[in-house]
Amino acid sequence: MSIIVNVDVMMAKRKMSSQELAEKIGITAANLSILKTGKAKAVRFSTLEAICQALDCQPGDILEYRADEEE
Amino acid sequence: MKKKLRLYCGLLTLVLVAAIVCDLVHVSYSNSTDKEREELYFGKEPDEFSTTEEIEGGVRRKSKPTMCIDVNVQARHYPKDYALLSEVDGQVCRVDMKQVSLAIPADRVTQSKPFIITYCSIIPNVLLLGWLVVIVFQVLRSVARREVFVARIAKKLELAGILLVAYWVWEYIRSYIVTQILVQYVNLAYYDIKWFTPNFICLIMGLALMIVSQIILMGKELQEEQELTI
């Protein structure tokens, strides 16, 4: 996947656990894990908004585009 | 997966065209033996078709069980322009037979080559249909457990489609072989044995199932995407 989700980095900066973040943004810990491990196919804007609110950051802080090696 | 879907759709289109064309094409075979044909006639049923048992006051005839093979036929030119005639609503009409059933007593079947070959050739059909029934039950059981858009169901449906196609292909080959054998053994006055291609409905249903299996795989992908949307 070319879009990398760097939620871990922001969570470490804000000293927040996965369980805490999941509760704040209203998703399950399993879904948060899917997001962190890059298995998610898509993210809703409402979820992105909730993550940015909870971690007090910009979307650019947690989303990164990395061109595939094949491309 | 989309390649397979395109392939199956292409095959289905070809088959639909072929089904229309084959309806216009028929092949007839004449009996090629030198034996003189007997006339078709109404007569007393031979003794080997029934058994007699003694009852109070006399003897009772009881028909023995018979086994039959169905033969597709086509009328040839009747002698002296004669024909089988009947009446419909006061109008004389010609009676054309399309299929006849040749019956012999069941206990004589093992002595008759065309009967043995015809019945033995049905065994693969029975096996294929049996396998198909098992697959249908497995699919229905999965659907009852609400497992619909899963790869396993798609594979089972694809296999069911392949079995239906295989059934039709075998039926096509079998009907041709049996017709060739019947031509040598069956001596039917005024009628030629005709070979029809089997009904295309099995082939069409088989291909349709294969297409449905690909659609289910696409549904599975969409479901996964939806589940993995956070």
Side-chain angles (χ1 to χ4, degrees):
Chain A
M1 189 80 181
S2 303
I3 302 288
I4 314 294
V5 181
N6 297 319
V7 173
D8 282 343
V9 174
M10 286 312 299
M11 278 167 63
K13 279 187 183 171
R14 301 288 181 255
K15 295 186 179 60
M16 200 182 286
S17 69
S18 296
Q19 191 65 35
E20 215 180 311
L21 180 63
E23 275 173 25
K24 272 191 173 175
I25 63 180
I27 63 174
T28 60
N31 280 352
L32 183 61
S33 171
I34 288 170
L35 197 60
K36 278 162 51 177
T37 52
K39 287 182 184 153
K41 294 276 184 199
V43 178
R44 296 188 184 92
F45 281 138
S46 55
T47 309
L48 187 59
E49 184 188 334
I51 294 172
C52 292
Q53 218 168 37
L55 295 174
D56 188 26
C57 63
Q58 291 294 313
D61 296 331
I62 49 175
L63 296 175
E64 182 194 335
Y65 170 72
R66 203 175 290 165
D68 281 339
E69 280 177 10
E70 288 168 1
E71 287 172 5
Chain B
M1 181 195 61
K2 283 180 185 152
K3 244 193 232 173
K4 262 190 174 176
L5 185 59
R6 269 199 294 253
L7 171 67
Y8 295 157
C9 288
L11 282 174
L12 184 60
T13 311
L14 270 173
V15 164
L16 287 169
V17 169
I20 295 166
V21 167
C22 282
D23 254 350
L24 310 167
V25 172
H26 298 298
V27 185
S28 292
Y29 295 94
S30 292
N31 188 308
S32 57
T33 63
D34 293 331
K35 213 167 124 185
E36 272 185 24
R37 289 186 185 220
E38 301 291 338
E39 296 279 326
L40 271 179
Y41 61 95
F42 280 106
K44 188 174 165 294
E45 202 172 59
D47 291 335
E48 56 251 33
F49 276 75
S50 54
T51 52
T52 51
E53 56 182 48
E54 286 181 16
I55 53 168
E56 274 182 31
V59 164
R60 184 170 70 180
R61 280 182 87 82
K62 200 173 154 187
S63 291
K64 277 189 195 172
T66 55
M67 292 186 80
C68 320
I69 46 175
D70 295 332
V71 182
N72 296 317
V73 295
Q74 179 172 292
R76 289 197 320 158
H77 181 68
Y78 290 105
K80 296 178 192 167
D81 293 323
Y82 271 44
L84 269 178
L85 300 172
S86 186
E87 251 189 42
V88 171
D89 196 27
Q91 294 260 4
V92 174
C93 64
R94 201 180 62 216
V95 176
D96 283 337
M97 286 197 288
K98 297 288 182 198
Q99 191 180 71
V100 297
S101 189
L102 303 176
I104 59 171
D107 54 11
R108 281 185 39 211
V109 162
T110 49
Q111 299 163 25
S112 170
K113 248 192 210 167
F115 274 79
I116 293 171
I117 291 168
T118 303
Y119 282 109
C120 286
S121 67
I122 291 172
I123 292 169
N125 289 27
V126 171
L127 292 172
L128 282 170
L129 284 179
W131 194 356
L132 189 63
V133 165
V134 167
I135 289 174
V136 166
F137 271 119
Q138 287 174 341
V139 168
L140 290 175
R141 202 172 53 195
S142 289
V143 169
R145 279 192 258 128
R146 300 181 73 81
E147 290 168 9
V148 180
F149 294 105
V150 291
R152 195 164 39 86
I153 294 294
K155 279 200 174 84
K156 293 259 180 241
L157 283 175
E158 196 178 15
L159 181 59
I162 290 169
L163 285 176
L164 275 174
V165 169
Y167 176 88
W168 184 88
V169 168
W170 171 244
E171 190 57 31
Y172 188 96
I173 297 168
R174 186 189 83 85
S175 68
Y176 182 77
I177 292 172
V178 167
T179 302
Q180 299 305 314
I181 289 166
L182 288 175
V183 162
Q184 290 174 33
Y185 288 94
V186 173
N187 197 357
L188 210 56
Y190 312 130
Y191 285 89
D192 286 334
I193 292 173
K194 196 166 178 177
W195 176 57
F196 289 107
T197 51
N199 200 320
F200 275 83
I201 194 75
C202 259
L203 187 57
I204 290 169
M205 275 176 59
L207 286 169
L209 268 179
M210 287 154 86
I211 289 171
V212 164
S213 75
Q214 296 308 305
I215 292 172
I216 285 183
L217 276 175
M218 285 172 74
K220 171 186 162 267
E221 253 191 34
L222 288 171
Q223 190 182 36
E224 264 176 15
E225 216 173 273
Q226 197 262 324
E227 279 171 359
L228 293 173
T229 295
I230 311 297

